[in-house]
């Protein structure tokens, strides 16, 4: 099982969770940290963990094509408001395994467009062990992502328009 983490890691982005989980998680999966930054140096020397500190955004599709991940980990430990990384993963049909927090929990349909996990090391280790034995779950999510076209800005605006206090407004209106 090949799992990738894309982007900078820090306290809020799950570096401590990964540090705790990696030794046992790497028994079930090979971990690739892509663009993790200096904080990922704490995982140097951990068996089955590959660290690439930086990358250029345009290189990401080629890097991921070379790794061929079965899924991507998003081990955040605080709520996020959106997540461009999630959108990027979906556009590349890479199933996300994400913390059940904030926008990740709101945007991901558990078991359909990704897998949600408690933001605790033991939960991530258990999920890795299970998915190593049940890769068909990830294959089904990947197929679903391939069937769904990326959402447009207009579609996202339609989601939020009913929530606005004044309802719909014309583009450019104050």
């Amino acid at each position: 099982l090949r799992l990738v983490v894309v982007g900078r890691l820090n306290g809020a982005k799950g570096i401590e969770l990964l540090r705790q989980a990696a030794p046992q998680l790497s028994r079930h999966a090979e971990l690739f940290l892509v663009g993790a930054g200096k904080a990922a140096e704490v995982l140097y020397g951990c068996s089955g963990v590959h660290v690439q500190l930086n990358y250029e955004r345009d290189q990401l599709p080629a890097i991921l094509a070379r790794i061929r991940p079965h899924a991507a980990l998003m081990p955040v430990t605080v709520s996020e408001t959106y997540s461009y990384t999630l959108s990027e993963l979906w556009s590349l049909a890479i199933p996300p395994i994400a913390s059940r927090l904030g926008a990740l929990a709101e945007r991901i349909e558990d078991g359909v467009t990704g897998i949600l996990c408690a933001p605790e090391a033991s939960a991530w280790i258990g999920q890795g062990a299970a998915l190593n034995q049940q890769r068909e779950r990830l294959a089904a999510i990947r197929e679903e992502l391939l069937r769904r076209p990326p959402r447009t800005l207009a579609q996202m605006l339609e989601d939020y328009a009913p929530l606005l206090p004044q309802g719909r407004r014309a583009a450019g209106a104050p």
Side-chain angles (χ1 to χ4, degrees), residues 3-164:
L3 301 174
V4 66
V5 178
V6 177
R8 290 289 188 253
L9 291 171
N10 58 39
K13 297 285 188 174
I15 188 63
E16 183 59 25
L17 191 153
L18 280 176
R19 190 192 62 74
Q20 292 172 15
Q24 292 181 50
L25 187 57
S26 64
R27 294 179 188 165
H28 310 289
E30 200 168 0
L31 300 175
F32 296 85
L33 310 181
V34 178
K38 189 162 180 58
E41 290 177 356
V42 300
L43 294 168
Y44 281 171
C46 186
S47 179
V49 178
H50 310 276
V51 179
Q52 179 177 340
L53 296 179
N54 299 296
Y55 70 91
E56 296 293 325
R57 186 182 181 283
D58 293 345
Q59 298 171 333
L60 186 61
I63 292 168
L64 295 176
R66 188 174 60 251
I67 295 170
R68 297 184 348 230
H70 293 96
L73 302 182
M74 301 182 74
V76 300
T77 56
V78 298
S79 295
E80 293 189 336
T81 58
Y82 185 72
S83 180
Y84 288 108
T85 302
L86 176 60
S87 297
E88 191 84 25
L89 293 170
W90 278 344
S91 75
L92 297 168
I94 298 173
I97 303 168
S99 294
R100 188 183 302 275
L101 292 171
L104 296 174
E106 293 170 2
R107 294 181 66 202
I108 294 171
E109 190 176 347
D110 194 20
V112 178
T113 60
I115 295 173
L116 295 172
C117 192
E120 302 162 2
S122 60
W124 289 82
I125 295 164
Q127 193 66 253
L131 291 171
N132 189 35
Q133 300 299 315
Q134 304 165 356
R135 293 185 193 183
E136 65 277 0
R137 287 176 61 201
L138 295 173
I141 292 169
R142 180 181 302 275
E143 288 301 314
E144 180 62 26
L145 295 176
L146 288 168
R147 275 194 292 275
R148 291 184 182 206
R151 290 181 45 79
T152 66
L153 180 58
Q155 289 169 320
M156 288 186 254
L157 287 172
E158 284 295 316
D159 292 343
Y160 288 99
L163 303 174
L164 295 171

